[in-house]
Amino acid sequence: MQNKLNLDKGLIEKARGSARNIAEDMQRFIEKHTTVTVERTVVRLLGVDGVDDIEKPLPNVVVDHIAEGGGLSTGAAYWIGNAIANTRKNPQEIAEEISTGQLDIMKLPIADEEKIKEEIQKLAIDMVATIRENREEREALIKDIGEGKKPYLYVIVATGNIYEDVLQAQAAARQGADIIAVIRTTAQSLLDYVPYGPTTEGFGGTYATQENFRIMRKALDEVGKEVGRYIRLCNYCSGLCMPEIAAMGAIERLDVMLNDALYGILFRDINMQRTLVDQFFSRVINGYAGIIINTGEDNYLTTSDAVEEAHTVLASQFINEQFALKAGIPEKQMGLGHAFEMNPNIENGFLWELAQAQMAREIFPDAPLKYMPPTKFKTGNIFKGHLQDALFNMVAIMTGQSLQLLGMLTEAIHTPFLQDRALSIENAKYIFNNMRNLGDEIEFKKDGIIQKRAAQVLSKAADMLEEIEDEGLFNIIEEGKLAGVKRSFNGGKGLEGVIIKDEKYFNPFVDLMLGGER
């Protein structure tokens, strides 16, 4: 990547070093803890699915049963392995018998620890192989039928009905979309369970369920063959069920997943201890599955000014990069987020947006950056909105962005109609085609507006990261220094689901996925 901004490489390394120390500090906390969600994910990955007679997911039934018996600090894998050794039943059968009261696995004799681990390891190896095969299938399909050029055209569907979502998603693919994001129903991130089966009644989006993932994956594979492009599927493993939804996505071959603990802490008031532990396991799964994660820095600018607080976006990108590396995610799967969200009335605002986007590209050269459209200053003037989106698309092609979530001219009015989405895709295709290599042809004036703006943002980000390194991320969040939102260490949703591990605890999937071939 050509250094057009003349950024201070020493300052970049200083910022990255601070972020690395922040992530290592958090990792020490993460390694000592598990959560009910992590354990439900282990149960799912061991093959448990379905619901009981009152529609409670069986992974919840099993983990609640273990928790009531006082054993969750040892991990669900230990107790299921012990139940297999005693009963010779598989995890699904064990879960079903727990749900009907036929079996209390907490009262079974304790088998030899090596035997327990041996039983679980066989099942874990099989599931990891399935996830690896999905990754290989994705790679083979892309090689066989091809894919769109970057920036990938990324659009959303959000009808609430998975079958209607399918129709809209296939229409968008035929119009030129490369990535379809199925927006989750309002507040699903606050549910401490994952709904089961196909759903048709979401609000502002569609429930994220494994069956819905399967239905949409099948639909996109069909239309992908029709249009001659692999169409990527995106959903959301954020909130109280981060690793569970990551596991479901890995099993059903999703390609992109929104995945950011800081987003959950700041914008959904999820307990910081809970979600940082959940994030690690979710990213281990996403990393191994070859799924691109999308981080949520763009959301900072919905509560903070995009000019004054631009450095918080960069600081968070540095931190998310290091969190991702800790979980085994390579840079090519780090869809670090940023956004085109400055007030359009600012003089030279386009130059500052260009500086911000170019800076992200140069500092994270191999990351598939997720670039978010203008929303905060969209009005009912659809003509001006379409122009704002055009400028956003111009910045993207000039700076080599990767995942372009297309803005909608009716952003401030209603959920987009099919024709609104078609116009947005046409806008992006026109600009990307006509300006394809413009970025290769231009340089920025030495010490001009663009270079000075980028240097200022980098300097402030480095200072902020040094402050976080000194005070600790938990303290910084409590003080409200990220996005101007204060959260308590012991507050928020889900704290009761955080558990300190004991000396017998094990989770076979972390070792297999971090140690396996990529």
Side-chain angles (χ1 to χ4, degrees):
M1 171 60 63
Q2 183 182 357
N3 186 355
K4 299 180 181 182
L5 294 173
N6 195 29
L7 295 170
D8 185 334
K9 293 182 181 178
L11 197 55
I12 293 171
E13 286 311 305
K14 176 177 178 290
R16 191 162 267 130
S18 292
R20 187 178 304 115
N21 290 336
I22 293 163
E24 288 175 355
D25 180 49
M26 288 296 99
Q27 193 66 25
R28 285 189 285 271
F29 176 88
I30 290 165
E31 295 293 342
K32 295 176 183 177
H33 296 81
T34 185
T35 73
V36 291
T37 329
V38 168
E39 299 312 312
R40 294 196 305 252
T41 306
V42 170
V43 173
R44 284 182 182 275
L45 290 171
L46 291 173
V48 175
D49 197 11
V51 293
D52 67 9
D53 58 352
I54 59 169
E55 301 296 314
K56 182 175 180 178
L58 289 180
N60 289 65
V61 171
V62 173
V63 169
D64 289 351
H65 175 74
I66 296 170
E68 288 163 8
L72 210 50
S73 60
T74 308
Y78 178 89
W79 297 107
I80 292 177
N82 186 61
I84 295 170
N86 275 276
T87 68
R88 307 315 305 164
K89 296 180 186 294
N90 65 41
Q92 181 69 24
E93 292 168 331
I94 290 167
E96 289 171 358
E97 291 195 7
I98 291 172
S99 75
T100 58
Q102 295 174 266
L103 178 63
D104 185 342
I105 66 173
M106 305 308 293
K107 293 181 178 178
L108 295 173
I110 301 299
D112 177 75
E113 192 166 321
E114 288 305 310
K115 178 63 175 175
I116 292 171
K117 289 186 176 181
E118 179 185 327
E119 295 289 356
I120 290 300
Q121 194 75 0
K122 288 185 291 187
L123 295 170
I125 288 171
D126 287 345
M127 178 55 76
V128 168
T130 296
I131 293 171
R132 183 174 62 249
E133 288 164 6
N134 280 342
R135 189 182 71 220
E136 291 167 353
E137 183 178 2
R138 177 194 301 115
E139 292 165 357
L141 283 167
I142 291 172
K143 184 177 180 180
D144 182 38
I145 65 173
E147 61 180 340
K149 294 180 179 179
K150 290 184 179 179
Y152 298 136
L153 305 186
Y154 175 159
V155 301
I156 65 175
V157 295
T159 70
N161 181 326
I162 186 60
Y163 302 107
E164 179 64 24
D165 282 349
V166 162
L167 297 176
Q168 293 216 8
Q170 290 184 327
R174 293 184 184 105
Q175 291 162 352
D178 303 303
I179 301 175
I180 305 294
V182 182
I183 301 297
R184 283 191 305 186
T185 187
T186 299
Q188 185 177 347
S189 62
L190 302 182
L191 298 181
D192 214 346
Y193 68 93
V194 181
Y196 180 76
T199 65
T200 57
E201 294 183 343
F203 301 92
T206 303
Y207 283 97
T209 73
Q210 188 165 335
E211 181 63 12
N212 284 347
F213 288 178
R214 188 197 66 77
I215 290 168
M216 186 59 80
R217 175 72 278 159
K218 181 175 181 289
L220 294 186
D221 284 348
E222 290 172 355
V223 77
K225 291 175 183 177
E226 174 190 326
V227 300
R229 295 191 321 281
Y230 182 75
I231 308 299
R232 287 174 167 83
L233 173 56
C234 174
N235 213 286
Y236 298 72
C237 59
S238 54
L240 286 169
C241 295
M242 292 178 84
E244 280 190 274
I245 297 179
M248 289 159 38
I251 292 168
E252 300 300 337
R253 188 168 39 86
L254 270 69
D255 309 285
V256 184
M257 281 202 143
L258 279 288
N259 182 241
D260 192 339
L262 290 174
Y263 168 82
I265 295 165
L266 298 174
F267 300 101
R268 293 293 180 264
D269 194 21
I270 294 171
N271 176 262
M272 62 181 79
Q273 301 175 61
R274 166 76 176 266
T275 196
L276 281 163
V277 176
D278 286 345
Q279 176 181 261
F280 173 69
F281 190 27
S282 71
R283 289 191 174 183
V284 169
I285 296 166
N286 283 329
Y288 189 79
I291 291 170
I292 295 171
I293 63 165
N294 282 352
T295 59
E297 285 82 5
D298 52 281
N299 289 282
Y300 293 7
L301 304 182
T302 64
T303 57
S304 301
D305 181 76
V307 175
E308 298 299 324
E309 301 298 326
H311 64 287
T312 65
V313 170
L314 180 58
S316 182
Q317 288 172 329
F318 274 117
I319 294 171
N320 261 315
E321 175 190 46
Q322 297 303 316
F323 277 147
L325 290 171
K326 287 286 181 190
I329 293 181
E331 192 172 1
K332 67 182 181 179
Q333 287 173 233
M334 297 182 197
L336 302 174
H338 60 136
F340 186 100
E341 283 285 25
M342 293 181 191
N343 188 325
N345 297 324
I346 295 172
E347 187 174 41
N348 286 323
F350 180 83
L351 277 65
W352 289 10
E353 294 280 17
L354 189 59
Q356 191 84 9
Q358 180 69 24
M359 180 179 60
R361 183 74 284 164
E362 291 187 14
I363 293 174
F364 308 102
D366 297 318
L369 298 174
K370 179 197 70 169
Y371 199 24
M372 299 293 281
T375 59
K376 189 174 180 178
F377 294 99
K378 282 290 186 75
T379 69
N381 182 343
I382 62 171
F383 303 105
K384 182 176 181 180
H386 210 41
L387 286 173
Q388 287 173 268
D389 292 336
L391 294 182
F392 160 67
N393 291 331
M394 286 173 64
V395 170
I397 197 65
M398 291 168 71
T399 60
Q401 301 301 308
S402 303
L403 281 65
Q404 185 82 349
L405 180 59
L406 300 186
M408 297 289 153
L409 69 166
T410 48
E411 193 85 44
I413 305 175
H414 56 70
T415 300
F417 293 134
L418 287 173
Q419 62 263 33
D420 302 338
R421 192 182 292 118
L423 287 169
S424 293
I425 292 172
E426 184 181 23
N427 179 328
K429 288 170 69 175
Y430 169 63
I431 290 170
F432 292 171
N433 182 59
N434 274 268
M435 302 177 70
R436 176 64 60 186
N437 296 109
L438 180 61
D440 301 330
E441 298 290 320
I442 59 175
E443 296 179 351
F444 300 137
K445 179 181 177 182
K446 187 176 184 305
D447 295 327
I449 293 171
I450 293 172
Q451 286 196 0
K452 284 182 178 179
R453 171 63 181 175
Q456 178 193 46
V457 173
L458 173 59
S459 178
K460 291 179 74 173
D463 289 345
M464 183 178 198
L465 287 164
E466 186 174 32
E467 182 181 5
I468 298 172
E469 181 184 10
D470 291 342
E471 293 193 30
L473 182 59
F474 286 145
N475 291 330
I476 288 291
I477 294 171
E478 286 202 297
E479 293 167 12
K481 293 182 178 178
L482 284 175
V485 179
K486 292 184 179 182
R487 296 300 185 203
S488 168
F489 181 73
N490 290 315
K493 302 168 183 70
L495 174 63
E496 67 282 355
V498 180
I499 301 107
I500 299 173
K501 297 176 183 175
D502 68 24
E503 69 280 357
K504 288 187 176 181
Y505 180 88
F506 72 98
N507 177 345
F509 295 101
V510 171
D511 291 339
L512 285 170
M513 290 179 177
L514 286 180
E517 292 183 10
R518 296 193 168 276

